[in-house]
Amino acid sequence: MCNLNILVRKDLKHDADCIVPFLQGVTGHSFASNHDGEGFYADGKLVRSLFKINYFKWKKILEGSRMIITHQRLATSGYTGEYTQPFMNEDFVFVHNGIMADFIKGSHSDSWVFFKKFQARFKKLRMRNREKKIILALKGLIEEQKGYCSFSIAILDRVTNMLYYLKNSKTKISFFRDSNLLFITTDNSNKNLLELFEESEFREYKVQSGKIFRIDAGLGIREIGSVRERSGVYESGSFHWF
């Protein structure tokens, strides 16, 4: 399965010198087992490669970005370089870990097809509230699936700079937060590299499946919706501190 490694930063000056070494470390660890491609989005810049990215090359951009979204890919469909994530258009940045069988179409990846259908459904909805449109588009696409489905999805709305996250029970995610930084990762062992932030104390969130969360650059995390899992009942509640 693919890996997501995402940083949300409140104060760009705080721990700025640790950002790039940390990203190089966690993405390197994730890429070792997810080596079919890598990409990142930061401050309007999208970089994708079939090979390991050197984050030190992009130091200035990364140190000046509040939302940094990275993806390390293990291909399960769509095996060519064009399906390396993140995917981006004028409205959104999208990353996905998992397999959504209903969206595997020909030589395309399921993630790519899902993102295209999400864009189309979002634009078709006739309402002004972007967040409601995002929720409805996600709910419709996910709840209408009939085949095997596992997902861990993050979507950045480039217009509002709000990050949305949701998962189902077949995937894992870890949230770690201190007063200035939120780190989201599919590989819990990446938490060991948080020690690079020497004066920080991180606490871990347990994120419940089936809930849609909105995350802002001030590190606010709020449950704003839910999706139904066809194969079973989601756990109640949203998230709580360990």
Side-chain angles (χ1 to χ4, degrees), residues 1-240:
M1 303 286 264
C2 304
N3 268 201
L4 314 181
N5 287 289
I6 298 171
L7 284 179
V8 183
R9 303 166 62 204
K10 187 175 181 180
D11 181 353
L12 295 180
K13 294 181 179 180
H14 187 71
D15 288 328
D17 58 338
C18 298
I19 295 300
V20 176
F22 177 76
L23 285 170
Q24 190 69 25
V26 296
T27 61
H29 182 244
S30 290
F31 190 81
S33 55
N34 299 270
H35 46 70
D36 291 324
E38 180 175 29
F40 77 81
Y41 169 88
D43 197 27
K45 181 71 174 180
L46 180 67
V47 176
R48 302 191 299 175
S49 174
L50 289 176
F51 306 100
K52 181 71 190 79
I53 291 172
N54 180 359
Y55 285 82
F56 288 95
K57 181 179 178 181
W58 306 98
K59 183 175 185 291
K60 186 175 181 180
I61 289 174
L62 293 167
E63 288 183 351
S65 181
R66 296 190 184 279
M67 297 274 186
I68 303 170
I69 301 171
T70 84
H71 185 276
Q72 294 75 44
R73 186 173 190 233
L74 182 63
T76 55
S77 63
Y79 296 95
T80 57
E82 67 184 295
Y83 300 113
T84 302
Q85 299 179 45
F87 300 133
M88 182 176 78
N89 65 5
E90 66 276 9
D91 287 311
F92 300 107
V93 178
F94 173 90
V95 286
H96 165 242
N97 168 44
I99 299 172
M100 295 186 283
D102 284 13
F103 295 98
I104 299 175
K105 305 294 183 183
S107 62
H108 303 307
S109 80
D110 54 339
S111 302
W112 185 87
V113 174
F114 182 93
F115 184 49
K116 292 295 183 182
K117 289 184 178 292
F118 169 80
Q119 295 174 62
R121 194 167 288 211
F122 176 86
K123 290 180 179 180
K124 189 175 181 180
L125 291 167
R126 300 300 180 188
M127 60 181 68
R128 292 186 177 182
N129 189 304
R130 291 182 65 86
E131 185 164 279
K132 288 183 179 179
K133 291 171 69 174
I134 290 169
I135 293 170
L136 288 173
L138 287 170
K139 281 179 64 68
L141 288 173
I142 289 170
E143 293 181 356
E144 291 166 10
Q145 293 183 74
K146 297 179 179 179
Y148 178 83
C149 176
S150 65
F151 63 85
S152 177
I153 292 171
I155 298 178
L156 175 66
D157 185 344
R158 299 182 66 197
V159 175
T160 64
N161 205 37
M162 294 292 183
L163 181 67
Y164 298 88
Y165 177 79
L166 68 159
K167 68 181 288 298
N168 72 355
S169 59
K170 296 181 178 67
T171 59
K172 296 180 180 179
I173 200 72
S174 295
F175 280 37
F176 300 94
R177 192 180 76 173
D178 73 351
S179 60
N180 187 63
L181 182 71
L182 171 65
F183 174 48
I184 302 172
T185 182
T186 46
D187 189 338
N188 187 267
S189 65
N190 276 333
K191 67 183 178 183
N192 297 321
L193 288 163
L194 289 169
E195 294 180 5
L196 288 172
F197 302 98
E198 294 179 356
E199 298 181 2
S200 298
E201 294 185 5
F202 287 88
R203 300 180 69 186
E204 185 174 357
Y205 277 116
K206 183 178 180 182
V207 180
Q208 300 294 338
S209 300
K211 307 297 180 181
I212 303 172
F213 297 98
R214 181 185 67 218
I215 302 162
D216 60 60
L219 307 189
I221 307 172
R222 183 177 179 183
E223 179 190 327
I224 58 166
S226 62
V227 293
R228 185 178 63 254
E229 186 170 25
R230 181 173 54 85
S231 60
V233 179
Y234 284 116
E235 299 175 54
S236 61
S238 54
F239 58 81
H240 59 271

